[in-house]
Amino acid sequence: MGNKSAAHRRWTALAAASVALLLGASACAAPPTTSYTNETGQEVTVNWKDYPVSAGLLPEDFSHAVTQEEAQATSDAVLTDIRAALTSVHAFEWSTRGEAAWFPGGGNGYGGKVMTSTFNSTQWESATAPASNAEWEEIVAVTSRITTKHGLGGVQLLFDHENFKTDHSWQKDLIDKYGTADPQRLWWWEGTAYTRSQWLVLHMVNVDRDTTGAAAKETEDSGLPARSISISYGATAVPAKDQAALTQALEPFVGLTPPEATTSD
């Protein structure tokens, strides 16, 4: 795959995406294809129906991806370490919401089937949460140190993401709903650590940060915690015995940008 130039990869992927949009994202749309010249000078055409993971996921995300067995071990370790570290400072008491489970993958968005399954851990929730920005920033920093130690990288807050900073409609939605798009004034923060097809989600909420009373009413109506730190882990993976087969199936797509999905499966 060494001779696929970046420009050529971008052009072919955009061409395939344009075809997909013209056909429409329906079950009847033909799967997109992408052509490129490999390192031996041969023209190769891949059919995205054969893509073994979901549309929108990059092949490179799975080049050194965890296996299901590794994901399960990482989930247990990272969630335990975060709870212990935060509890040592804030004396949190924790409870769980939901059950940990693997969910079989379905369609890949191009009319084919994925080889992977997706894991969602139990969500851990503290019974209380501090209210100050300084304490929230400290919680993000502690969580980031642990996720980095376990190979997931640091936690990026939603508000620090480039898409948030440049998407004015997103900011307008926050202002319309919460009265502000300034994270220093919002009563909830959310951040994610993501790498190698695995992720950890950190969510913090404290309605006392909202002086209007709307937040307290919203959480009361929804039944969700009014003051809580929540953490959960997820991964998309295959069992260790199927890792080689996944790598082989991905190999023709490495270096390509997946086009827009053409089916809703």
Side-chain angles (χ1 to χ4, degrees):
M1 300 301 139
N3 286 0
K4 284 182 279 183
S5 71
H8 185 66
R9 290 197 298 267
R10 285 195 296 270
W11 186 90
T12 51
L14 286 172
S18 298
V19 170
L21 289 172
L22 287 172
L23 290 171
S26 70
C28 297
T33 60
T34 299
S35 297
Y36 61 87
T37 302
N38 67 15
E39 63 269 18
T40 65
Q42 295 178 315
E43 186 77 6
V44 176
T45 298
V46 294
N47 189 321
W48 288 90
K49 183 177 182 179
D50 300 325
Y51 195 49
V53 298
S54 296
L57 297 179
L58 296 175
E60 288 77 9
D61 287 341
F62 294 86
S63 59
H64 300 288
V66 294
T67 64
Q68 288 186 6
E69 293 84 353
E70 290 169 334
Q72 187 73 59
T74 297
S75 176
D76 294 341
V78 72
L79 294 174
T80 297
D81 287 355
I82 293 171
R83 294 199 314 275
L86 296 182
T87 300
S88 69
V89 177
H90 299 282
F92 288 144
E93 294 181 1
W94 299 86
S95 61
T96 59
R97 184 186 297 269
E99 298 292 333
W102 283 97
F103 300 90
N108 64 0
Y110 308 116
K113 298 294 183 182
V114 302
M115 295 175 62
T116 56
S117 296
T118 296
F119 176 75
N120 287 321
S121 76
T122 294
Q123 180 170 298
W124 287 91
E125 297 176 346
S126 67
T128 58
S132 73
N133 287 312
E135 289 170 303
W136 281 25
E137 289 167 358
E138 176 261 340
I139 288 170
V140 173
V142 169
T143 304
S144 287
R145 286 198 293 271
I146 295 170
T147 55
T148 299
K149 182 184 76 171
H150 287 282
L152 280 77
V155 173
Q156 182 181 35
L157 289 175
L158 169 69
F159 314 109
D160 292 334
H161 198 282
E162 193 61 32
N163 288 345
F164 175 80
K165 295 178 180 178
T166 58
D167 189 341
H168 299 298
S169 64
W170 194 353
Q171 296 174 30
K172 181 179 182 300
D173 288 344
L174 284 177
I175 293 171
D176 289 344
K177 184 170 184 180
Y178 302 107
T180 180
D182 179 1
Q184 301 296 306
R185 297 170 55 200
L186 281 168
W187 53 273
W188 60 268
W189 285 7
E190 184 168 301
T192 305
Y194 177 85
T195 189
R196 297 171 60 209
S197 74
Q198 56 180 335
W199 56 91
L200 181 130
V201 177
L202 168 69
H203 188 81
M204 298 180 284
V205 58
N206 190 319
V207 298
D208 298 332
R209 289 167 59 91
D210 173 41
T211 58
T212 69
K217 180 67 165 59
E218 181 175 328
T219 56
E220 182 181 355
D221 291 344
S222 68
L224 294 173
R227 300 164 191 83
S228 182
I229 308 299
S230 68
I231 50 174
S232 60
Y233 170 93
T236 299
V238 295
K241 64 182 180 61
D242 296 330
Q243 188 70 15
L246 175 63
T247 299
Q248 183 177 11
L250 280 168
E251 198 275 338
F253 299 93
V254 172
L256 302 177
T257 300
E260 294 289 331
T262 55
T263 64
S264 57
D265 53 3

